[in-house]
Each structure stands twice: as C-alpha cells, then as structure tokens.
Amino acid sequence: MPIDIDTFDREAEFEGDRTQAERILSFLALNDDKAFRRREIADSTGIDPNAVSAVLSRLKERDLVRHKPPYWAAGDPERVRSAIDLRRSLDTLNEQLGTEDMDAWRDAGADEQHPSQRGTDGE
C-alpha cells in the first residue's frame, strides 16, 4: 500500500545510517514553519529524549538550530542544508576512498616544522 510523501519524508525506518543529528535536523527542516518541544522532537524522530537534548545543544553551538525555551526550531535553511550536504559528501568520500587514519597523519609530520615556522635561511 503506498504512503503519502510527507510520511515517507518523516519515517525513521527509512533513515538508514543517518546520525541522530541528521535525523533531528531533517525533521526540523521539513517542519521549518514550526517550533517543537524536546519531547515532540523525540517522539517524531524516535530518538531518546535525553539524547535529543544533547544533540540539540551541540546543534545550537553550531548555529544549526534556534532555541527559545522550551521550543526548538531549524536554524538558517541555507546553513542547515550546507551542513547536511557536507556530511553526505564526506560519507561518500569515505566510502570511495576509505577513512583517514588520524594517528598516521600526526606521526607523519611530528618531526618536521611547518615551512612557515622555519627560519629565513631554510632551516
């Protein structure tokens, strides 16, 4: 039986490997004409209310959501879209090229000074 497109866009079971932050941002962006209480966001996304609180706080620090107690709403639509697009691009690159080994990056340059920190005589 078919479902309407709004249900399709909202349903958590179609969300695959998206992070909780992406799920919350997507929900708020799809409903950008409304503001919600934490519990309403939790109920709509299927995420534990305590986790929703933590995620909303991190998203607020990044200016991706707005908060006027007790309500939360999507932030600037362009900023939200850019954040989601960046995450998807990074996921695609990681799938195609593999993830970076940060310890290897740190070890590779640990013994050398950055060129901007070297003296004018080349040392």
Side-chain angles (χ1 to χ4, degrees), residues 102-111:
M102 293 309 292
D103 290 332
W105 274 94
R106 286 183 195 99
D107 292 344
D111 296 332

Side-chain angles (χ1 to χ4, degrees), residues 3-56:
I3 59 173
D4 63 85
I5 199 65
D6 291 332
T7 302
F8 175 80
D9 288 337
R10 267 193 326 267
E11 287 300 319
E13 68 187 69
F14 303 116
E15 303 210 8
D17 294 330
R18 293 185 348 169
T19 65
Q20 291 179 338
E22 288 173 312
R23 290 167 53 196
I24 290 170
L25 267 180
S26 294
F27 169 74
L28 292 174
L30 285 170
N31 296 285
D32 63 352
D33 60 334
K34 298 177 185 84
F36 298 88
R37 293 176 181 263
R38 175 186 64 109
R39 171 55 79 178
E40 294 167 327
I41 295 169
D43 291 345
S44 296
T45 60
I47 300 171
D48 179 86
N50 292 325
V52 169
S53 290
V55 171
L56 286 170

Side-chain angles (χ1 to χ4, degrees), residues 41-93:
I41 295 169
D43 291 345
S44 296
T45 60
I47 300 171
D48 179 86
N50 292 325
V52 169
S53 290
V55 171
L56 286 170
S57 293
R58 287 193 311 271
L59 293 172
K60 186 175 185 289
E61 288 172 5
R62 292 169 176 84
D63 293 325
L64 293 169
V65 297
R66 297 176 287 157
H67 181 52
K68 290 184 182 178
Y71 293 98
W72 295 87
D76 175 60
E78 196 166 311
R79 185 169 174 81
V80 170
R81 173 60 38 216
S82 294
I84 291 171
D85 288 347
L86 175 62
R87 173 60 191 234
R88 288 181 181 158
S89 295
L90 291 174
D91 286 345
T92 299
L93 288 171

